[in-house]
């Protein structure tokens, strides 16, 4: 179906889907490419705003407000494309295309025992992240569901090397209910990498976890939680590196490259050249063509 036959609603759906599929760190690139195809500035701006909001939540896009890291997710959405930061007590909109905050407003919070626990857990988590991640960010949020209070801890680190044709993201999310004696921690670790030089290779790996923690006091819970995150992420990293090594040694070699056929037969290059009526001179042209033949044979 050609672009001119699509209805406006169909265009909106296609644009939003393509933008949401953009790998982490590549949303603006995908938007710019689509602008060249669609040629409708108003339509692209509106869909870019909607898709950008979802992209931020999906990949925990990090911001800095008053020197503190803020990770955007659906847990700190407060409606009307707005996010909320517990540290600065501000709500705001974030324009991913312009990389700037907009419509910043103060937003009060209820200071109770859960808020103090959130602060203590955040301090313990920061110590772990600063010790294990080159440029890591973390955040701890509060959420109340059916009169039950939960803490949501988010971790993010990325390396976007577009000039070198690859981008990578590591993020994890940990949720536990504020209980007096025992609490269950539910976690999810997610890794995505995109390599796009010569090939278009996407890797997405995730793992879901469930563990229990004893609750004695706030300090003990915060330290135990940070140790739990460290232990589980270290295990995941070790398994991930082992899996990628095996993938590199076996699967990728078979998928991306054909094996060189072993015929045990002497190749008469002179006859091949004669059959192709290849001109031997000038020598430069002969060498280039020979390399081409060899490359096609090996690959």
């Amino acid at each position: 179906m050609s672009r001119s036959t699509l209805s406006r609603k169909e265009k909106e759906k296609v644009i939003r889907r393509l933008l949401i599929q953009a790998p982490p760190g590549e949303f603006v690139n995908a938007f710019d490419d689509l602008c060249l195809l669609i040629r409708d500035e108003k339509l692209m701006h509106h869909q870019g705003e909607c898709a950008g909001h979802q992209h931020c939540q999906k990949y925990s896009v990090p911001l800095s407000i008053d020197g503190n890291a803020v990770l955007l997710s659906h847990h700190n959405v407060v409606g009307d494309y707005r996010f909320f930061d517990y540290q600065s007590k501000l709500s705001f909109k974030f324009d991913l295309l312009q990389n700037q905050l907009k419509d910043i407003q103060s937003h009060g919070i209820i200071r109770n025992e859960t808020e103090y626990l959130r602060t203590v857990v955040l301090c313990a988590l920061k110590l772990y992240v600063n010790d294990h991640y080159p440029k890591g960010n973390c955040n701890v949020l509060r959420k109340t569901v059916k009169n039950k209070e939960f803490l949501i801890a988010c971790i993010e680190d990325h390396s976007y090397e577009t000039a070198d044709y690859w981008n990578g993201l590591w993020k994890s999310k940990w949720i536990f209910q504020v209980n007096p004696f025992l609490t269950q921690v539910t976690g999810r670790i997610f890794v995505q990498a995109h390599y796009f030089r010569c090939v278009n290779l996407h890797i997405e790996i995730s793992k879901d976890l469930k563990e229990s923690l004893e609750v004695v006091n706030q300090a003990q819970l915060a330290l135990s939680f940070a140790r739990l995150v460290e232990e589980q992420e270290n295990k995941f990293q070790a398994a991930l590196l082992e899996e990628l090594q095996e993938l590199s040694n076996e699967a990728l070699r078979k998928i991306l490259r054909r094996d060189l056929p072993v015929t045990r037969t002497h190749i008469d290059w002179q006859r091949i050249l004669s059959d192709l009526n290849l001109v031997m001179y000038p020598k430069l042209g002969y060498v280039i063509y020979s390399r081409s033949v060899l490359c096609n044979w090996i690959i």
Side-chain angles (χ1 to χ4, degrees):
M1 183 180 291
S2 64
R3 178 171 59 88
S4 59
T5 60
L6 293 175
S7 67
R8 186 173 183 84
K9 286 188 176 181
E10 289 173 328
K11 285 183 184 180
E12 292 176 351
K13 186 177 179 180
V14 170
I15 292 169
R16 195 180 305 115
R17 185 170 67 246
L18 289 173
L19 289 176
I20 293 173
Q21 290 177 356
E26 300 175 38
F27 183 87
V28 177
N29 304 83
F31 179 85
D32 292 340
D33 290 342
L34 279 174
C35 283
L36 296 176
L37 296 173
I38 302 301
R39 300 179 184 274
D40 187 332
E41 184 178 348
K42 185 176 180 180
L43 175 63
M44 286 300 303
H45 179 77
H46 177 67
Q47 295 307 314
E49 182 181 13
C50 298
H53 185 73
Q54 295 182 52
H55 185 89
C56 289
Q57 299 177 53
K58 182 177 181 180
Y59 295 118
S60 299
V61 172
L63 305 177
S64 179
I65 299 179
D66 296 335
N68 296 313
V70 180
L71 297 181
L72 304 182
S73 71
H74 70 273
H75 295 292
N76 58 345
V77 171
V78 291
D80 192 28
Y81 299 108
R82 301 182 67 82
F83 295 96
F84 171 65
D85 172 37
Y86 278 89
Q87 292 295 104
S88 63
K89 303 177 185 62
L90 297 174
S91 69
F92 53 87
K93 292 184 178 181
F94 178 64
D95 189 335
L96 182 59
L97 296 173
Q98 300 296 326
N99 192 31
Q100 66 179 13
L101 302 178
K102 293 183 176 180
D103 193 15
I104 302 174
Q105 299 177 7
S106 60
H107 194 292
I109 61 172
I110 299 175
R111 289 198 169 275
N112 55 13
E113 188 174 346
T114 304
E115 176 60 20
Y116 292 123
L117 176 61
R118 186 196 70 81
T119 304
V120 174
V121 171
L122 178 59
C123 291
L125 196 64
K126 279 184 176 180
L127 292 175
Y128 160 68
V129 170
N130 292 338
D131 192 40
H132 285 74
Y133 290 88
K135 297 178 292 185
N137 300 288
C138 66
N139 210 356
V140 179
L141 312 171
R142 284 171 51 192
K143 199 153 193 177
T144 302
V145 180
K146 296 181 179 179
N147 296 324
K148 296 179 180 180
E149 293 202 273
F150 294 83
L151 291 185
I152 303 105
C154 304
I155 299 174
E156 183 272 352
D157 196 8
H158 65 266
S159 185
Y160 299 149
E161 303 292 341
T162 305
D164 291 330
Y165 306 100
W166 67 270
N167 293 309
L169 169 72
W170 172 299
K171 73 185 186 78
S172 63
K173 179 175 67 175
W174 309 85
I175 303 175
F176 62 91
Q177 186 179 347
V178 181
N179 289 331
F181 303 111
L182 186 70
T183 186
Q184 186 176 70
V185 180
T186 302
R188 180 177 178 83
I189 307 174
F190 174 85
V191 173
Q192 180 167 346
H194 182 209
Y195 180 76
F196 46 95
R197 183 172 187 174
C198 300
V199 297
N200 187 19
L201 180 63
H202 292 264
I203 297 176
E204 289 189 20
I205 302 173
S206 63
K207 183 177 182 181
D208 295 321
L209 301 145
K210 282 188 178 180
E211 296 289 338
S212 296
L213 282 180
E214 292 185 1
V215 180
V216 178
N217 53 51
Q218 291 185 347
Q220 172 272 334
L221 176 59
L223 292 174
S224 297
F225 172 71
R227 282 196 296 267
L228 170 66
V229 173
E230 179 179 14
E231 178 183 348
Q232 294 301 326
E233 292 199 340
N234 285 345
K235 287 181 180 179
F236 178 81
Q237 182 182 10
L240 176 62
L241 292 176
E242 183 178 345
E243 187 72 22
L244 289 177
Q245 185 63 46
E246 183 179 347
L247 182 67
S248 175
N249 292 339
E250 300 296 333
L252 289 182
R253 184 179 298 175
K254 294 178 180 178
I255 294 171
L256 301 180
R257 183 171 179 171
R258 297 198 300 265
D259 290 334
L260 179 66
V262 179
T263 62
R264 299 184 183 277
T265 303
H266 174 71
I267 300 175
D268 190 345
W269 292 107
Q270 203 61 42
R271 180 180 175 183
I272 293 173
L273 295 175
S274 299
D275 291 344
L276 292 174
N277 296 319
L278 181 66
V279 179
M280 299 295 290
Y281 297 96
K283 189 172 181 62
L284 179 61
Y286 169 73
V287 172
I288 292 174
Y289 190 83
S290 298
R291 287 178 180 172
S292 176
V293 172
L294 287 172
C295 288
N296 289 331
W297 180 262
I298 293 173
I299 295 176

